[in-house]
Amino acid sequence: MSLFKLYKFSGIISLVCGILAACCLISLRTVPIGLLLSVLGFILSGINVFLDAKHEFSGKKYPLGYAGMILSSLPVIFLMIMIFRH
């Protein structure tokens, strides 16, 4: 697999994992699934950001990995709020 295909694949999949992880916050029963998707989204967005920083694939200002990273962090933030509130 070429690096450009890996860059595109990791960006799209990290965004999808981030969206699914954020959607899992609807119910408390689905929060563990959201945390698993969040870890996968973090890994893939880290790969995406690293490849963009190293090879400068993106012509845009921000690669998709940043949006995936923000969306993947929502379940972790939600869990921290729930822990500190009680």
Side-chain angles (χ1 to χ4, degrees):
M1 179 181 279
S2 70
L3 288 177
F4 185 72
K5 285 184 182 179
L6 180 64
Y7 168 75
K8 285 293 199 182
F9 178 75
S10 65
I12 292 170
I13 299 299
S14 71
L15 192 62
V16 169
C17 286
I19 290 170
L20 290 175
C23 288
C24 286
L25 295 178
I26 293 173
S27 174
L28 285 177
R29 291 182 183 173
T30 58
V31 170
I33 298 169
L35 288 172
L36 290 174
L37 287 169
S38 147
V39 169
L40 182 63
F42 271 121
I43 292 169
L44 290 172
S45 63
I47 291 170
N48 185 271
V49 171
F50 173 75
L51 286 175
D52 184 58
K54 185 174 182 181
H55 299 289
E56 297 180 2
F57 286 132
S58 178
K60 299 178 284 189
K61 196 170 188 177
Y62 299 110
L64 285 177
Y66 287 126
M69 195 173 286
I70 290 171
L71 289 172
S72 294
S73 67
L74 290 178
V76 177
I77 293 170
F78 176 75
L79 189 64
M80 286 175 49
I81 289 172
M82 293 300 289
I83 289 171
F84 290 136
R85 187 174 284 183
H86 293 292

